[in-house]
Protein backbone atom coordinates (compact mmCIF):
# COMPACT_ATOMS: atom_id res chain seq x y z
CA UNK A 1 0.00 0.00 0.00
CA UNK A 2 1.32 3.49 -0.77
CA UNK A 3 2.37 5.54 2.16
CA UNK A 4 -0.34 7.91 3.23
CA UNK A 5 0.65 11.38 4.38
CA UNK A 6 0.52 11.77 8.13
CA UNK A 7 -2.42 13.78 9.30
CA UNK A 8 -1.52 16.74 11.43
CA UNK A 9 -2.63 16.52 15.00
CA UNK A 10 -4.95 19.47 15.80
CA UNK A 11 -3.44 19.64 19.29
CA UNK A 12 -0.04 20.39 17.78
CA UNK A 13 -1.41 23.64 16.40
CA UNK A 14 -2.66 24.60 19.86
CA UNK A 15 0.80 23.94 21.28
CA UNK A 16 2.26 26.45 18.81
CA UNK A 17 0.14 29.32 20.13
CA UNK A 18 2.39 31.84 21.94
CA UNK A 19 1.79 31.98 25.73
CA UNK A 20 0.82 35.65 25.57
CA UNK A 21 -1.89 34.93 22.98
CA UNK A 22 -3.03 31.86 24.92
CA UNK A 23 -3.49 34.01 28.03
CA UNK A 24 -5.64 36.47 26.10
CA UNK A 25 -7.76 33.71 24.54
CA UNK A 26 -8.24 32.05 27.94
CA UNK A 27 -9.30 35.35 29.47
CA UNK A 28 -11.75 36.04 26.63
CA UNK A 29 -13.41 32.64 27.10
CA UNK A 30 -13.27 32.06 30.86
CA UNK A 31 -13.27 35.55 32.34
CA UNK A 32 -16.86 36.43 31.34
CA UNK A 33 -18.06 33.13 32.83
CA UNK A 34 -16.15 33.78 36.05
CA UNK A 35 -17.46 37.35 36.35
CA UNK A 36 -21.03 36.21 35.70
CA UNK A 37 -20.74 33.54 38.40
CA UNK A 38 -19.66 36.27 40.85
CA UNK A 39 -22.08 39.09 40.08
CA UNK A 40 -25.25 37.05 39.43
CA UNK A 41 -26.60 35.62 42.72
CA UNK A 42 -28.30 32.65 41.06
CA UNK A 43 -24.98 31.49 39.59
CA UNK A 44 -23.28 30.94 42.94
CA UNK A 45 -23.22 27.17 42.33
CA UNK A 46 -21.39 27.77 39.03
CA UNK A 47 -18.72 29.71 40.92
CA UNK A 48 -18.38 26.86 43.41
CA UNK A 49 -17.95 24.38 40.54
CA UNK A 50 -15.32 26.55 38.83
CA UNK A 51 -13.33 26.99 42.04
CA UNK A 52 -13.71 23.29 42.85
CA UNK A 53 -12.31 22.30 39.46
CA UNK A 54 -9.43 24.76 39.86
CA UNK A 55 -8.64 23.34 43.31
CA UNK A 56 -8.59 19.75 42.05
CA UNK A 57 -6.38 20.62 39.07
CA UNK A 58 -3.98 22.63 41.23
CA UNK A 59 -3.83 19.78 43.74
CA UNK A 60 -2.96 17.26 41.03
CA UNK A 61 -0.27 19.60 39.71
CA UNK A 62 1.17 19.94 43.22
CA UNK A 63 1.41 16.17 43.56
CA UNK A 64 2.87 15.87 40.07
CA UNK A 65 5.69 18.21 41.07
CA UNK A 66 6.27 16.08 44.17
CA UNK A 67 6.31 12.94 42.01
CA UNK A 68 9.18 14.42 39.99
CA UNK A 69 11.13 14.46 43.26
CA UNK A 70 10.34 10.77 43.76
CA UNK A 71 7.72 11.53 46.44
CA UNK A 72 4.46 9.72 45.82
CA UNK A 73 1.30 11.21 47.30
CA UNK A 74 -1.89 9.32 48.09
CA UNK A 75 -4.33 10.92 45.60
CA UNK A 76 -7.38 8.92 46.72
CA UNK A 77 -7.25 10.14 50.32
CA UNK A 78 -6.16 13.63 49.26
CA UNK A 79 -8.92 14.14 46.70
CA UNK A 80 -11.54 12.80 49.10
CA UNK A 81 -10.36 15.27 51.75
CA UNK A 82 -10.33 18.12 49.23
CA UNK A 83 -13.93 17.38 48.20
CA UNK A 84 -14.93 17.23 51.88
CA UNK A 85 -13.35 20.65 52.50
CA UNK A 86 -15.14 22.10 49.47
CA UNK A 87 -18.45 20.83 50.84
CA UNK A 88 -17.73 22.34 54.27
CA UNK A 89 -16.90 25.70 52.72
CA UNK A 90 -20.02 25.55 50.54
CA UNK A 91 -22.24 25.34 53.61
CA UNK A 92 -20.47 28.20 55.38
CA UNK A 93 -22.70 30.78 57.03
CA UNK A 94 -21.95 34.28 58.24
CA UNK A 95 -20.11 32.89 61.28
CA UNK A 96 -17.50 31.29 59.03
CA UNK A 97 -16.69 27.66 58.22
CA UNK A 98 -17.12 25.05 60.93
CA UNK A 99 -13.64 24.89 62.45
CA UNK A 100 -14.24 21.55 64.18
CA UNK A 101 -15.24 19.90 60.89
CA UNK A 102 -12.18 21.31 59.11
CA UNK A 103 -9.90 19.93 61.83
CA UNK A 104 -11.64 16.56 61.68
CA UNK A 105 -11.13 16.34 57.90
CA UNK A 106 -7.41 17.13 58.23
CA UNK A 107 -6.95 14.61 61.07
CA UNK A 108 -8.73 11.86 59.14
CA UNK A 109 -6.69 12.70 56.03
CA UNK A 110 -3.46 12.35 57.99
CA UNK A 111 -4.52 9.00 59.45
CA UNK A 112 -5.75 7.63 56.11
CA UNK A 113 -2.62 8.69 54.23
CA UNK A 114 -0.40 7.02 56.86
CA UNK A 115 -2.48 3.83 56.79
CA UNK A 116 -2.40 3.75 52.98
CA UNK A 117 1.38 4.12 52.99
CA UNK A 118 1.72 1.30 55.54
CA UNK A 119 -0.51 -1.00 53.49
CA UNK A 120 1.65 -0.33 50.43
CA UNK A 121 4.60 -1.61 52.44
CA UNK A 122 6.55 1.61 51.98
CA UNK A 123 9.72 2.15 54.04
CA UNK A 124 9.40 4.51 56.98
CA UNK A 125 11.08 7.47 55.25
CA UNK A 126 8.88 7.02 52.17
CA UNK A 127 5.80 6.66 54.34
CA UNK A 128 6.46 9.95 56.12
CA UNK A 129 7.28 11.88 52.93
CA UNK A 130 4.23 10.45 51.13
CA UNK A 131 1.86 11.39 53.95
CA UNK A 132 3.48 14.79 54.32
CA UNK A 133 3.10 15.77 50.67
CA UNK A 134 -0.48 14.46 50.62
CA UNK A 135 -1.52 16.50 53.66
CA UNK A 136 0.50 19.57 52.66
CA UNK A 137 -1.11 19.64 49.22
CA UNK A 138 -4.61 19.58 50.70
CA UNK A 139 -3.75 22.26 53.28
CA UNK A 140 -2.01 24.54 50.81
CA UNK A 141 -4.42 24.20 47.88
CA UNK A 142 -7.83 23.04 49.12
CA UNK A 143 -7.93 24.58 52.60
CA UNK A 144 -6.73 28.00 51.43
CA UNK A 145 -8.50 28.00 48.06
CA UNK A 146 -11.73 26.83 49.61
CA UNK A 147 -12.11 30.16 51.39
CA UNK A 148 -13.11 31.65 48.03
CA UNK A 149 -16.17 29.41 48.16
CA UNK A 150 -16.85 30.49 51.74
CA UNK A 151 -16.75 34.14 50.67
CA UNK A 152 -19.21 33.45 47.84
CA UNK A 153 -21.72 31.49 49.91
CA UNK A 154 -21.23 32.81 53.44
CA UNK A 155 -21.49 36.58 52.92
CA UNK A 156 -24.24 38.76 51.55
CA UNK A 157 -24.41 38.92 47.77
CA UNK A 158 -23.18 42.50 47.54
CA UNK A 159 -20.24 42.09 49.91
CA UNK A 160 -19.16 38.75 48.43
CA UNK A 161 -19.35 40.23 44.94
CA UNK A 162 -17.10 43.16 45.87
CA UNK A 163 -14.61 40.99 47.77
CA UNK A 164 -14.26 38.45 44.98
CA UNK A 165 -14.05 41.04 42.22
CA UNK A 166 -11.36 42.84 44.21
CA UNK A 167 -9.49 39.56 44.72
CA UNK A 168 -9.46 38.52 41.07
CA UNK A 169 -8.81 42.05 39.84
CA UNK A 170 -5.67 42.39 41.95
CA UNK A 171 -4.55 38.79 41.46
CA UNK A 172 -4.97 38.64 37.68
CA UNK A 173 -3.78 42.20 37.18
CA UNK A 174 -0.62 41.58 39.18
CA UNK A 175 0.02 38.31 37.35
CA UNK A 176 -0.45 39.96 33.95
CA UNK A 177 1.80 42.85 34.93
CA UNK A 178 4.51 40.43 36.04
CA UNK A 179 4.26 38.37 32.87
CA UNK A 180 4.35 41.14 30.30
CA UNK A 181 6.88 43.30 32.16
CA UNK A 182 9.08 40.25 32.70
CA UNK A 183 8.92 39.36 29.02
CA UNK A 184 9.70 42.92 27.97
CA UNK A 185 12.15 44.18 30.58
CA UNK A 186 13.17 41.07 32.53
CA UNK A 187 16.92 40.68 32.85
CA UNK A 188 17.56 39.53 36.42
CA UNK A 189 16.27 36.11 37.48
CA UNK A 190 14.27 36.03 40.70
CA UNK A 191 14.61 32.33 41.61
CA UNK A 192 16.16 30.45 38.67
CA UNK A 193 16.18 27.06 40.40
CA UNK A 194 12.49 27.28 41.38
CA UNK A 195 10.92 29.22 38.50
CA UNK A 196 13.35 30.13 35.70
CA UNK A 197 10.87 32.41 33.98
CA UNK A 198 10.34 34.83 36.87
CA UNK A 199 12.42 38.00 37.10
CA UNK A 200 12.90 40.84 39.57
CA UNK A 201 11.53 43.25 37.00
CA UNK A 202 8.37 41.19 36.71
CA UNK A 203 8.01 40.99 40.50
CA UNK A 204 8.26 44.77 40.84
CA UNK A 205 5.74 45.25 38.03
CA UNK A 206 3.38 42.79 39.75
CA UNK A 207 3.58 44.72 43.01
CA UNK A 208 3.03 48.09 41.36
CA UNK A 209 0.15 46.81 39.24
CA UNK A 210 -1.52 45.24 42.28
CA UNK A 211 -1.21 48.45 44.29
CA UNK A 212 -2.55 50.53 41.42
CA UNK A 213 -5.56 48.26 40.99
CA UNK A 214 -6.13 48.18 44.75
CA UNK A 215 -6.24 51.97 44.81
CA UNK A 216 -8.72 51.94 41.91
CA UNK A 217 -10.81 49.32 43.70
CA UNK A 218 -11.17 51.73 46.60
CA UNK A 219 -13.35 53.88 44.37
CA UNK A 220 -15.11 50.95 42.68
CA UNK A 221 -15.89 48.57 45.54
CA UNK A 222 -14.89 49.91 48.95
CA UNK A 223 -15.42 53.68 49.24
CA UNK A 224 -15.87 53.21 52.99
CA UNK A 225 -12.18 52.25 53.27
CA UNK A 226 -9.33 54.71 53.08
CA UNK A 227 -6.93 54.47 50.16
CA UNK A 228 -4.22 53.33 52.59
CA UNK A 229 -6.37 50.46 53.85
CA UNK A 230 -7.16 49.42 50.29
CA UNK A 231 -3.45 49.36 49.47
CA UNK A 232 -2.83 47.00 52.38
CA UNK A 233 -5.37 44.43 51.17
CA UNK A 234 -3.20 42.97 48.34
CA UNK A 235 -0.56 42.09 50.94
CA UNK A 236 -2.93 39.57 52.55
CA UNK A 237 -4.02 37.98 49.27
CA UNK A 238 -2.48 34.60 48.40
CA UNK A 239 0.07 34.68 45.57
Amino acid sequence: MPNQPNKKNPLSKLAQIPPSIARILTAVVLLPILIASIVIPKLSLLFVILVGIAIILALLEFWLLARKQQIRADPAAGLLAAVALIVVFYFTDRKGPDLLTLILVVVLLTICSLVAAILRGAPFDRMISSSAVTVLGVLYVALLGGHLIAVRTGFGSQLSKHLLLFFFLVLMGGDSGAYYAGKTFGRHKLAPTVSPGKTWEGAVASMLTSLLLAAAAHYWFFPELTVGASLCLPNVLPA
Side-chain angles (χ1 to χ4, degrees), residues 70-144:
Q70 307 303 317
I71 302 176
R72 179 184 176 186
D74 185 358
L79 290 175
L80 185 61
V83 172
L85 290 176
I86 291 173
V87 172
V88 173
F89 283 118
Y90 177 73
F91 289 103
T92 296
D93 55 21
R94 292 180 180 273
K95 297 179 181 179
D98 186 16
L99 183 59
L100 182 59
T101 306
L102 294 179
I103 295 175
L104 180 61
V105 170
V106 174
V107 171
L108 290 177
L109 168 63
T110 305
I111 295 173
C112 291
S113 62
L114 286 171
V115 171
I118 293 174
L119 294 178
R120 287 198 303 266
F124 181 77
D125 56 340
R126 294 277 185 177
M127 179 182 70
I128 295 300
S129 60
S130 174
S131 300
V133 78
T134 301
V135 176
L136 178 60
V138 173
L139 293 177
Y140 180 61
V141 178
L143 183 61
L144 295 181

Side-chain angles (χ1 to χ4, degrees), residues 169-188 190 197-214 234:
L169 176 69
V170 172
L171 191 68
M172 294 181 175
D175 181 66
S176 298
Y179 178 80
Y180 289 106
K183 285 292 185 181
T184 305
F185 307 107
R187 297 294 183 272
H188 304 86
L190 179 63
K198 288 184 171 57
T199 63
W200 281 103
E201 292 81 0
V204 172
S206 174
M207 181 185 66
L208 294 178
T209 305
S210 298
L211 292 175
L212 179 62
L213 292 173

Side-chain angles (χ1 to χ4, degrees), residues 157-173:
S157 60
Q158 190 72 4
L159 179 58
S160 66
K161 177 177 70 174
H162 286 175
L163 287 172
L164 291 172
L165 288 176
F166 176 87
F167 174 85
F168 286 107
L169 176 69
V170 172
L171 191 68
M172 294 181 175

